[in-house]
């Protein structure tokens, strides 16, 4: 085969793949704008990280799917005000937000962490090493953390690898990989090639954080120091921790059945290390958010829609029953008054 013929065949293959990729994107976009009866309504408007409004990512089909939206804090099922910011994951605190976005690129997905101000205007941007998974801001808004899947797309997968980073939103300084932090396990220095971190949650001192560390088939809750670049294990079988506003408890998902990837939401008392199972008995694969010191919000797959999530709430003391907070929604940020 001549060189020119090989080049022609290569060009044809590239065009064919490009056409197929374009068709997939167009079909996905077509699905995204098809609304259904009963879906939440969203209209464009100003969304800001101030006032007593609940902010989250809109999952409802339509032109504003994936947009960061807001509703009155006391009316979570009211009509949604949609911003122009589109995210796979979002969180905000201290008048600053972090948006993990994913858009088609020339050769692969363009995944980025975008830091936004209180008006959702971009301030800084960082490239991501993989598929967006978790995002959290520190209470002051100074630090942002995110986790991405480098391989795999689910914590229930047999094999996956994550990368977790922490960024200073004021200076732009980046800790690109928590695996570079020193680890103390059960009082001794620990090092292993299979260490993974995910699900950071911050204390209010702009230094302490908690996260999940996985190694040797076990998951651990760790307490870390940004300035000390170190973590220390506290408890086992803790994933996706979320620190309560009063900083006395950690909400987390506990694996109760490994083969079926089944997790149960619990709350851990940081002083006594006693755990409390919550009333939600469905498997929650999410990093829960404290709406206040008594209530947690989290996402669950919507009935009959594999690619959509609903937000639910449950009491943090184990009492009561789960309640639907907002349909077709994910990545909540608690209201700021």
């Amino acid at each position: 085969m001549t060189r020119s013929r090989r080049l022609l065949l290569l060009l044809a293959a590239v065009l064919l793949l490009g056409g197929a990729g374009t068709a997939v994107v167009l079909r996905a976009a077509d699905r995204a704008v098809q609304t259904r009866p009963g879906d939440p309504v969203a209209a464009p408007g100003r969304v800001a990280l101030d006032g007593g409004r609940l902010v989250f990512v809109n999952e409802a089909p339509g032109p504003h799917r994936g947009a960061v939206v807001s509703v009155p804090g006391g009316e979570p099922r009211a009509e949604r005000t949609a911003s122009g910011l589109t995210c796979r994951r979002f969180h905000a605190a201290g008048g600053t937000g972090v948006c993990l976005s994913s858009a088609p690129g020339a050769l692969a997905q363009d995944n980025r962490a975008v830091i936004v101000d209180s008006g959702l205007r971009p301030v800084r941007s960082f490239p991501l090493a993989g598929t967006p998974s978790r995002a959290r801001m520190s209470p002051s808004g100074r630090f942002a953390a995110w986790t991405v899947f480098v391989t795999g797309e689910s914590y229930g997968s047999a094999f996956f690898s994550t990368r977790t980073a922490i960024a200073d939103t004021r200076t732009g300084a980046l800790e690109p990989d928590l695996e570079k932090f020193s680890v103390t396990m059960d009082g001794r220095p620990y090092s292993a090639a299979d260490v993974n971190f995910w699900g950071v949650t911050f204390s209010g001192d702009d230094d302490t954080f908690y996260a999940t560390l996985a190694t040797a088939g076990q998951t651990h809750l760790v307490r870390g120091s940004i300035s000390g670049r170190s973590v220390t294990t506290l408890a086992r079988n803790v994933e996706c921790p979320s620190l309560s506003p009063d900083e006395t408890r950690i909400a987390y998902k506990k694996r109760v059945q490994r083969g079926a990837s089944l997790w149960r939401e619990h709350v851990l008392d940081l002083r006594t290390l006693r755990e409390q199972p919550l009333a939600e008995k469905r498997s929650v694969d999410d990093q829960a958010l404290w709406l206040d010191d008594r209530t947690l919000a989290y996402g669950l797959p919507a009935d009959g829609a594999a690619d959509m999530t609903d937000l639910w709430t449950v009491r943090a003391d184990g009492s009561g029953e789960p309640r639907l907070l907002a349909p077709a929604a994910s990545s909540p940020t608690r209201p700021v008054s």
Side-chain angles (χ1 to χ4, degrees):
M1 184 182 295
T2 65
R3 182 172 180 272
S4 59
R5 183 171 177 79
R6 285 198 299 269
L7 288 174
L8 286 173
L9 288 174
L10 177 61
L11 177 61
V14 170
L15 291 173
L16 181 62
L17 289 173
T22 300
V24 169
V25 170
L26 291 175
R27 284 197 298 270
D30 184 61
R31 287 196 301 271
V33 298
Q34 292 179 355
T35 58
R36 305 174 306 173
D39 280 334
V41 176
R46 177 180 179 272
V47 175
L49 303 177
D50 51 27
R53 295 182 69 84
L54 179 67
V55 177
F56 52 85
V57 172
N58 181 47
E59 297 276 350
H64 302 293
R65 186 170 196 183
V68 174
V69 300
S70 72
V71 293
E75 301 178 65
R77 302 189 204 179
E79 179 173 319
R80 301 170 178 183
T81 301
S83 72
L85 182 67
T86 300
C87 310
R88 290 278 296 272
R89 296 287 185 271
F90 181 79
H91 187 248
T96 306
V98 56
C99 167
L100 304 190
S101 65
S102 184
L107 297 176
Q109 288 292 107
D110 180 22
N111 299 316
R112 307 194 68 81
V114 181
I115 307 302
V116 298
D117 65 14
S118 62
L120 301 188
R121 293 175 291 265
V123 176
R124 299 183 186 276
S125 179
F126 302 88
L128 298 179
T131 305
S133 172
R134 303 287 185 236
R136 272 296 190 271
M137 292 296 307
S138 67
S140 71
R142 179 177 176 182
F143 289 102
W146 54 81
T147 298
V148 300
F149 284 110
V150 179
T151 58
E153 294 185 348
S154 167
Y155 296 101
S157 301
F159 302 100
F160 68 87
S161 177
T162 60
R163 186 170 300 170
T164 296
I166 295 178
D168 188 322
T169 65
R170 298 176 187 172
T171 67
L174 178 69
E175 287 285 359
D177 190 355
L178 290 192
E179 293 176 24
K180 306 301 183 184
F181 281 30
S182 62
V183 177
T184 299
M185 182 178 293
D186 300 329
R188 297 180 179 181
Y190 180 84
S191 178
D194 69 344
V195 165
N196 267 302
F197 288 92
W198 66 85
V200 167
T201 183
F202 291 99
S203 172
D205 64 5
D206 278 341
D207 186 61
T208 305
F209 67 92
Y210 298 84
T212 296
L213 179 155
T215 183
Q218 296 280 343
T219 56
H220 305 258
L221 173 67
V222 297
R223 180 171 54 224
S225 166
I226 299 172
S227 61
R229 303 186 78 250
S230 61
V231 301
T232 301
T233 60
L234 299 178
R236 294 193 178 190
N237 199 4
V238 173
E239 298 184 52
C240 298
S242 180
L243 184 63
S244 62
D246 63 10
E247 301 195 3
T248 64
R249 292 155 294 162
I250 290 280
Y252 65 100
K253 60 178 196 179
K254 177 179 181 179
R255 193 182 290 270
V256 294
Q257 189 173 339
R258 184 170 299 275
S261 298
L262 182 66
W263 293 277
R264 177 88 181 269
E265 280 295 301
H266 285 67
V267 167
L268 180 75
D269 186 303
L270 285 172
R271 184 179 62 86
T272 64
L273 296 184
R274 292 179 180 173
E275 61 181 21
Q276 171 65 58
L278 303 188
E280 176 58 81
K281 293 180 172 57
R282 291 168 293 185
S283 182
V284 178
D285 183 10
D286 195 14
Q287 185 174 16
L289 178 96
W290 294 79
L291 293 175
D292 52 44
D293 280 319
R294 302 174 302 279
T295 312
L296 291 160
Y298 50 92
L300 283 171
D303 289 341
D307 59 347
M308 192 183 301
T309 301
D310 295 333
L311 286 177
W312 289 76
T313 65
V314 72
R315 292 181 62 87
D317 62 2
S319 66
E321 297 292 336
R323 295 177 179 273
L324 180 66
L325 176 69
S330 64
S331 295
T333 286
R334 63 194 180 102
V336 178
S337 55

